[in-house]
Amino acid sequence: MTGMFETLLVRTGTATCHITKPTVNGAKISEYFRGAEILESIRSKPAREIAKNKEPKEVTSVLLLAPLARHELTGTVEVKFYETLGLTLINKMEIEEAGLTLHYVAYDGPGAPCTGRHWTDRSGVIELTYSHGSENEPNFSLANGNTEPHLGFGHVVSLVDNLEGACRKFEDAGLTIDEGPSKALVFMTDPDGYKIGISEPGKGNAQQDATDPASYRMSHTMLRIKDPHRSLNFYHEVLGMSLLRTVEHDQAGLTLYYLGYTGATPSMTAEATSLTADSEGLVELMWIHGTENREGRVYHDGNSDPLGFGHLCIGVDDIDAACERFEKLNKSWEKRLNGTSMNDMAFMLDPDGYWIEILQNEAIKPRAHW
């Protein structure tokens, strides 16, 4: 099985974070969207109808990662924060020549969708990247993506079985809960200032105070976008995602688009009660109305000063074939495959300049033997 996983990279003085999502090998993706038709179709049809419309085509399934950002603390401190949220350290890599340590955390309990799978073949992974010595640099600073003039990455959201019970558990462990935009969503701030949303999908735990971390899952990563026409076309036509849900907030002047791969997690199917609640590793694209009319780059990609969000990452069944396909689509590159060092990965750019890493799914075809 090929996994599509979203990874959110967070750089720290200690760690970088990825959130990942998997898809089934040969996943079928709708062929519905075409250029300027996208927005009109979104507004006139339910998301489920759009996702199922027309005869799907076979595409190379991918693994999508979304790293958060660099951290100022130590890798140990950052990992412990995420472990308090119920995630497990599933992999650790030392890259001595680059002065980095990578920590991969994910929900890995008995009820988790991708328990026991390789980190390149699962959803909802967070990679925490620690830059050695950054905690000792007095001028080292981070952009969390939520302050002007460096808006970009917004947050990641974890789904829990009982919001009230989970928040009480986190507070008992010493974490601080911030108010959210609704009773169904609250936020926390990790040790480096990145926003972590906690939400309940609606099924809930019957007992008010009961909560089972084994049932938690990493839902999605939010990125702000300038032009929904260009971004939806890129994530659908190039990366092969389906639009699963659209939420209009007219009074706030914004629209949210949730995209992912049907079949990305074992419980996520076209017949699921909710394509978003039953999944891990989705991408949420936030369009603030009117930004498409602004000149030039609108959002901070996190890879120029000040550093912050790192990239999304797609893991594919055949990285050479995937990169050849992207080349034929004339996509922009930050680093081509085999272009420099690190010859087992490549980086494309999405329409807003966010980096998209391309990685081999090692469970399908071992290459780098991570």
Side-chain angles (χ1 to χ4, degrees), residues 226 290-299:
K226 173 183 176 178
T291 52
E292 71 277 15
N293 299 319
R294 294 171 57 180
E295 294 292 332
R297 184 77 58 87
V298 172
Y299 294 116

Side-chain angles (χ1 to χ4, degrees), residues 13-34:
T14 62
T16 301
C17 164
H18 287 269
I19 292 178
T20 66
K21 21 181 156 190
T23 75
V24 178
N25 190 23
K28 294 184 177 181
I29 305 301
S30 168
E31 198 174 352
Y32 186 72
F33 297 110
R34 284 296 182 275

